[in-house]
Amino acid sequence: MSGAVTVALAGRPYEVRIGRGLIDDAGRQVKPLLKRPFTAVVMDRTVADLHGERLLGALRGEGIAAHAVVVPPGEETKSFAGLAGLCDDLLALELDRSDHIVAFGGGVVGDLAGFAAAIFKRGIDFVQIPTTLLAQVDSSVGGKTAIDTARGKNLIGAFHQPRLVLADLGVLDTLPDREMVCGYAEVLKYGLLGDAEFFAGLEAATSRVLGRGDDALAWAVRRCVEMKAGIVAEDEREGGRRALLNLGHTFGHAVEAATGFGEALKHGEAVGLGCAMAFRFSVLLGLCAGQDATRAERAIAAAGLPTRLAEVPGHPFGADALIASMAQDKKAQAGALTFVLVRAIGDAFVAKGVDPAPLRDFLIDEGALP
Ligand code: NAD
Ligand code: GLY
C-alpha cells in the first residue's frame, strides 16, 4: 500500500487507502466494518466484466456474502430511474440498516450508490472503491452524492460520507486513456487551486502519471486526496473553502451544458478548459499575472486537454447562453454569479457577485457569439 489519508471529520473520520492490489485484500479491509458478513457490490457492466470477479472473490474469500448489483455504464444511470432500479435491487437483497453497500466504479457509480446509501431505509453505510482516476482523486472522497435530472446535473443529492475508501491504482491499468486524461484535469486542478509546488511537480511528471508510472501515479493521487481531505474536514457542507474545488467548473459546466453533456466534451475535459478560462478571466480582471495563465494553459494542453472554446465540437456557442447556464450553477446565489478565480498558480479564491458585463466581453473575446 502507498499509504492512507484520513478524512478527519469530527466523530466520523474515515481512511482513504491508496495502493496497488488493494482490491485483492478488500475482504480483509471491509470485514471489520460489517455487522454481518453480507454486502451488495454496486458496479457498472464495464467494471463488473473487468474487475468484478476479483472483488467479489476477495470479499467472499473472507466469508462475506457479496451480491453483485450491476447497472448500465454511463451518466444516464445517475438518474431517478437508475436510482429507483438500484433501490429496488437492494430491497430485493433484503439489506438491513446495519449493512454496508460497496460502490465499485467511477464517479457515476460512486454518486449513484452513495446517494442510494444516503436514503435507503433512511440511510445505510457504504464503502467507496473508485476505479477511475477522477473518482480516486475527487468523487469518492468527501461525501457528495447525487443524481442528475433533465434540468441539470447533480441537482438531487445528499452529503453522505463513506466509511472507507480503497483507491487501487492497479485498476487504472484498464482505464481508457481518454478517461485517464479526464481524471488528470482534476489532478491539475488541485495544484492550480492550492499547491504551486505540486503543480510544478506535475509539469514535470505529466507523462509518467498518465502512463500509470507507479511512483508518479501514487504521488499524484495521494497529494490530491490529502488536499481534498483537508478541505472537506474543514468545510464538509461547502459553506466556504470547499467551493475552491470547483475551480474551472463554472466555465466548464456551461460549455458542457452547451454540448449536451455527451461524448463531445467529457466532464474532465470541460474542467481542463474551464481552468484555463478561469485563469485568463482572472488576468482580464487584473487579478493574476498573464504568465501564470500561460503556464496553466501549457500544462493543461500538455495533458491533451482542451484549453480554448474553438477546440470544442459545436463551437461557436452563444455568450448569453453560456452566461445563462452559469447563473444556474449551484454556487450562484440569488442570481449573482460566483466564480473561483485566481491570484496566482496555487492561490484560488471564491469571487461572489461577478459582474456579467466583463464576463460577456471575455466570452466573446474567447470566441463565443455575441
Ligand atoms: P464514469 O463513472 O462514467 O466512468 C467513466 C467510464 O469508465 C465508464 O464508462 C466506466 O464504465 C469506465 N470505467 C470505470 N472504471 C474503469 C476501469 N478501471 N477500467 C475501464 N473502464 C472503467 O465517470 P467518472 O469520470 O469516473 O465520473 C464522472 C461522474 O463523477 C460524473 O457524474 C460527475 O458528476 C461525478 N463527480 C462527482 C464528484 C463528487 O464529489 N461526488 C466529483 C467529481 C465528479
Ligand atoms: N468535487 C467537488 C467537491 O467534492 O466538493
Side-chain angles (χ1 to χ4, degrees), residues 181 188 206 272 276 294-308 311:
V181 168
L188 282 172
T206 297
T294 307
R295 208 176 137 201
E297 187 175 330
R298 201 179 299 132
I300 295 164
L305 290 157
T307 61
R308 297 277 168 179
E311 294 172 68

Side-chain angles (χ1 to χ4, degrees), residues 41-300:
V41 177
V42 184
M43 50 197 163
D44 75 20
R45 170 52 59 207
T46 306
V47 170
D49 288 348
L50 288 167
H51 303 287
E53 282 311 316
R54 256 177 77 210
L55 177 61
L56 293 169
L59 293 166
R60 289 170 185 157
E62 286 293 318
I64 301 167
H67 299 272
V69 177
V70 180
V71 299
E75 189 72 31
E76 307 73 51
T77 296
K78 244 180 79 174
S79 60
F80 275 114
L83 179 70
L86 173 55
C87 288
D88 198 47
D89 287 345
L90 298 176
L91 288 167
L93 284 172
E94 297 184 0
L95 267 87
D96 67 42
R97 284 180 72 182
S98 66
D99 288 322
H100 285 57
I101 62 178
V102 175
F104 183 43
V108 163
V109 161
D111 280 11
L112 174 72
F115 187 42
I119 59 173
F120 184 81
K121 298 189 175 175
R122 298 203 178 86
I124 60 170
D125 285 324
F126 79 119
V127 172
Q128 287 267 22
I129 307 188
T131 63
T132 62
L133 180 60
L134 181 142
Q136 295 191 353
V137 300
D138 193 354
S139 61
S140 67
V141 181
K144 277 190 183 175
T145 72
I147 56 168
D148 308 329
T149 83
R151 292 182 188 275
K153 272 190 58 161
N154 297 327
L155 292 180
I156 304 293
F159 286 97
H160 189 53
Q161 301 288 342
R163 293 286 311 280
L164 174 69
V165 182
L166 298 178
D168 184 338
L169 304 174
V171 289
L172 301 182
D173 287 347
T174 58
L175 192 66
D177 289 344
R178 188 175 175 195
E179 297 293 348
M180 205 55 200
V181 168
C182 285
Y184 192 72
E186 304 279 1
V187 174
L188 282 172
K189 178 194 78 177
Y190 284 96
L192 291 169
L193 75 88
D195 187 343
E197 201 180 313
F198 179 49
F199 178 79
L202 291 171
E203 285 180 303
T206 297
S207 57
R208 275 179 290 138
V209 176
L210 290 176
R212 291 110 167 134
D214 262 357
D215 289 352
L217 185 60
W219 161 77
V221 171
R222 190 189 165 106
R223 182 63 195 131
C224 296
V225 170
E226 279 169 359
M227 288 182 71
K228 181 142 191 190
I231 291 172
V232 168
E234 200 180 296
D235 177 23
E236 182 184 5
R237 299 271 169 151
E238 202 168 300
R241 199 163 164 246
R242 184 163 181 170
L244 296 179
L245 294 170
N246 294 319
L247 176 62
H249 283 62
T250 306
F251 285 115
H253 196 265
V255 185
E256 224 182 330
T259 58
F261 295 107
E263 285 299 299
L265 185 73
K266 286 181 170 277
H267 176 70
E269 292 161 346
V271 169
L273 169 65
C275 285
M277 291 177 77
F279 266 81
R280 289 195 294 270
F281 188 44
S282 301
V283 173
L284 181 93
L285 296 178
L287 298 164
C288 172
Q291 67 205 33
D292 278 16
T294 307
R295 208 176 137 201
E297 187 175 330
R298 201 179 299 132
I300 295 164

